[in-house]
Amino acid sequence: MKRIAIVGGGISGLSAAFTLEKQRSQGMPLEYALFESSPRLGGVLVTELVEGCLIEAGPDSFLTEKPWAIELCRQVGLSHQLIGSNDPDRKTYILVKGRLVAIPDGLMFMVPTKILPAILSPLFSSRTKLRMAQEWFHPPRKAEHDESVAEMVERHYGAEMVDRLADPLLSGVYGGEAGHLSVRAVLPRFAEMEANYGSLGRAMLAAHKRTLKSANGPAKPLFTSLKDGMQQMVDAVVARLPDSSLKTSSVVQGLQRQDRGWLVSAGYASDQFDAVILATPAQAAARLLYPTSEQLASELAAIQYTSSITVNLGYNQKVRASLPPGFGFLVPRNEGKRMLAATFVHNKFPHRAPPDRALLRCFIGGTNCDRELQLPDEAILQTVREELRQIIGLSAEPLFTRIYRWKGAMAQYGVGHLERLQRIDDLLTQLPGLALAGNGYRGIGVPDCVRSGSEAANRGLTAAGLGDSKVTASV
Ligand SMILES: Cc1cc2nc3c(=O)[nH]c(=O)nc-3n(C[C@H](O)[C@H](O)[C@H](O)COP(=O)(O)OP(=O)(O)OC[C@H]3O[C@@H](n4cnc5c(N)ncnc54)[C@H](O)[C@@H]3O)c2cc1C
């Protein structure tokens, strides 16, 4: 019987466990244990039902175009629960000098593909509009080095595009700043498009036309979620794992390499395994690996994380009727607010709030969020309510509020991240039986975490002598 340990019971660790369970239940001579430090499984995936409103404490959905989360949902019997975002009502605003301006039609992520709506939009100055027209004629360029998203976007469209769009859009996903994030790691398609077309606008339009041509049936929604909340994914996976494999409230404090395998220490007990999957944030993996490989630990510790807070507020029908249509708004840093974004949940996923309720989800995050994390709920709420008053004139008393703090949960892929992953891969080849998974490596979204967990499980199986020997060490 071979034994595999998984450390970390967020969606990455659960996906690894589910991959192992599929093999075990088909007769593979395998035993596994999943160690999770908190009393509950799921990591940042938490759903709460409050007064008929479905509140997501962490992720509220995932990108439809990345298939791995949807595939996992199907495998655990949740096909009927998959829902798409309400895209016909998709409209997002940017706060510009204190006023909300709608993102113009034809903007794909931050790339304008329709000139007229962009030219007519008050979101950009004449100077940026001129840059957009000139961008169409950029010659192809293959960058020799990685650079930040801000540097690339500025080269194409100027600094205003970075401040008003690139930075707020990335803050909403990574809680990070466009000036720090690696274009190759965060927007690999942009680097490819620049190399092949030069102009991001022309490249994006060509890709869009190809998608339309090959599409069968109606367009897919941008985001997918689960009808009764993201927590369903956790519950359905956990229901398929044997209780005896799940070790909650078990902090792994030590990891020791042995002649054959690894010794995992949690609480007062230590146990021997043939392979170990570390599905924790990279910083936690670094601490565990320090005694084994200082070099690997320092590469992992260099992957930065930021914290975030979601503040959820429920309101009555009167407020709902007074809010602007659309999915919500983004707040550029230079607007001087603490809030980075707000989602009008009742529009994005209508069934998540009864018709007579408005549900707002505000997001505080980024490099300076650690100060806010220390503040009491009342102080956080006061800031958010004051900013909602300034931005959308909302001063009504909420019917209920819920605040969730996520310390160091959002990985930041800095410039040079892919080169770091290559060094990590090289170091992993010297540590047989060790696999890494999680949001610190090749994708922060839920689908990428699901994929990373199942790939790590396959590497664990190979290391334990049970899997396909062609699977190599890699994060
Ligand atoms: C507020 C917020 C909103 C988000 N929104 C979206 C979204 O809308 N769409 C999307 O796709 N993604 C979103 N994300 C990102 C995505 O949810 C995460 O990247 C992903 O869920 C991370 O999963 P994980 O399992 O890798 O990590 P985590 O969920 O952080 O799980 C890691 C687990 O490891 C455990 N652990 C750590 N150290 C130890 C130890 N020594 N021993 C045992 N256990 C340990 C922790 O307790 C934790 O449970 C969001 C993230 C946040 C925080």
Side-chain angles (χ1 to χ4, degrees):
M1 184 70 69
K2 298 289 183 177
R3 307 190 72 224
I4 299 182
I6 302 165
V7 185
I11 195 64
S12 303
L14 288 174
S15 162
F18 182 64
T19 305
L20 297 183
E21 177 57 26
K22 282 189 290 184
Q23 300 296 341
R24 191 199 69 85
S25 60
Q26 284 172 18
M28 195 178 257
L30 170 70
E31 215 175 74
Y32 61 89
L34 186 154
F35 296 89
E36 164 54 46
S37 52
S38 80
R40 68 169 284 281
L41 293 160
V44 303
L45 271 71
V46 180
T47 307
E48 210 185 324
L49 189 65
V50 182
E51 298 190 23
C53 292
L54 204 84
I55 295 183
E56 296 291 4
D60 71 345
S61 57
F62 43 82
L63 281 174
T64 306
E65 72 165 2
K66 296 198 169 197
W68 308 286
I70 293 176
E71 188 47 38
L72 176 63
C73 289
R74 292 205 171 113
Q75 291 183 27
V76 294
L78 290 175
S79 303
H80 63 293
Q81 286 283 332
L82 290 168
I83 52 163
S85 47
N86 179 26
D87 288 359
D89 285 353
R90 192 166 89 222
K91 188 173 189 180
T92 304
Y93 304 86
I94 306 280
L95 189 69
V96 180
K97 296 183 183 142
R99 297 186 54 187
L100 292 183
V101 177
I103 295 183
D105 188 28
L107 229 76
M108 294 186 170
F109 203 51
M110 63 200 82
V111 176
T113 59
K114 289 184 187 169
I115 293 298
L116 198 62
I119 296 284
L120 295 177
S121 168
L123 185 56
F124 309 111
S125 64
S126 318
R127 198 180 150 79
T128 301
K129 289 172 183 172
L130 183 65
R131 292 286 302 261
M132 287 176 186
Q134 290 168 338
E135 203 274 343
W136 219 250
F137 304 102
H138 266 224
R141 174 184 190 272
K142 190 154 177 37
E144 279 172 23
H145 304 286
D146 193 10
E147 62 183 333
S148 72
V149 174
E151 283 168 314
M152 184 194 232
V153 173
E154 188 166 347
R155 261 193 302 107
H156 283 256
Y157 300 107
E160 187 183 78
M161 187 65 113
V162 176
D163 294 341
R164 292 211 178 147
L165 266 181
D167 199 56
L169 282 167
L170 288 172
S171 304
V173 181
Y174 288 86
E177 294 178 24
H180 293 158
L181 295 170
S182 148
V183 87
R184 285 189 182 169
V186 168
L187 295 172
R189 268 177 74 198
F190 275 34
E192 233 172 75
M193 290 191 302
E194 187 179 54
N196 295 333
Y197 285 81
S199 159
L200 299 178
R202 278 192 295 121
M204 198 63 110
L205 198 60
H208 184 57
K209 282 184 180 156
R210 278 196 303 274
T211 314
L212 287 181
K213 231 177 173 179
S214 62
N216 295 321
K220 288 187 180 149
L222 184 58
F223 302 104
T224 296
S225 192
L226 289 155
K227 194 156 173 284
D228 294 334
M230 297 289 286
Q231 171 88 41
Q232 278 189 288
M233 206 165 161
V234 174
D235 296 343
V237 173
V238 171
R240 278 158 178 78
L241 307 176
D243 280 350
S244 56
S245 294
L246 304 175
K247 321 245 174 256
T248 46
S249 304
S250 296
V251 186
V252 171
Q253 299 123 334
L255 195 58
Q256 213 180 312
R257 200 173 161 207
Q258 310 259 283
D259 286 345
R260 300 177 66 180
W262 294 80
L263 192 70
V264 175
S265 306
Y268 295 111
S270 293
D271 214 348
Q272 182 89 31
F273 292 90
D274 297 285
V276 175
I277 296 162
L278 291 183
T280 63
Q283 309 274 331
R287 284 190 291 277
L288 289 172
L289 286 167
Y290 190 79
T292 307
S293 166
E294 259 182 61
Q295 220 183 335
L296 178 56
S298 71
E299 292 288 2
L300 292 170
I303 298 172
Q304 299 297 309
Y305 279 73
T306 59
S307 302
S308 52
I309 304 173
T310 55
V311 181
N312 299 267
L313 306 102
Y315 292 96
N316 62 18
Q317 164 63 27
K318 201 166 154 214
V319 168
R320 182 169 176 150
S322 72
L323 291 172
F327 281 10
F329 58 84
L330 302 170
V331 184
R333 256 168 253 278
N334 58 14
E335 290 291 320
K337 305 274 187 256
R338 295 307 308 146
M339 206 192 295
L340 292 176
T343 304
F344 304 150
V345 179
H346 54 277
N347 286 342
K348 187 175 176 185
F349 292 106
H351 66 280
R352 287 199 170 159
D356 60 348
R357 292 280 182 266
L359 181 60
L360 267 63
R361 172 176 138 112
C362 304
F363 183 72
I364 297 176
T367 33
N368 300 322
C369 180
D370 286 336
R371 195 187 71 86
E372 262 81 12
L373 278 184
Q374 314 301 327
L375 298 176
D377 280 6
E378 304 79 64
I380 295 172
L381 204 54
Q382 199 181 354
T383 305
V384 165
R385 288 194 57 199
E386 174 53 22
E387 294 190 353
L388 286 174
R389 191 191 62 73
Q390 292 167 7
I391 298 169
I392 49 174
L394 174 55
S395 47
E397 195 65 36
L399 301 172
F400 61 83
T401 59
R402 288 290 184 281
I403 297 179
Y404 305 90
R405 294 168 176 77
W406 299 113
K407 189 170 166 49
M410 300 280 234
Q412 306 293 300
Y413 301 164
V415 174
H417 183 73
L418 295 187
E419 286 83 355
R420 168 162 291 116
L421 294 188
Q422 185 56 56
R423 292 194 295 276
I424 291 175
D425 281 349
D426 293 344
L427 292 163
L428 282 173
T429 58
Q430 298 159 26
L431 296 171
L434 176 68
L436 300 174
N439 72 6
Y441 311 110
R442 296 192 192 272
I444 188 177
V446 171
D448 282 310
C449 291
V450 168
R451 178 184 48 78
S452 110
S454 69
E455 288 178 359
N458 286 325
R459 290 194 294 278
L461 288 171
T462 303
L466 293 171
D468 179 351
S469 59
K470 288 199 279 294
V471 177
T472 50
S474 154
V475 280

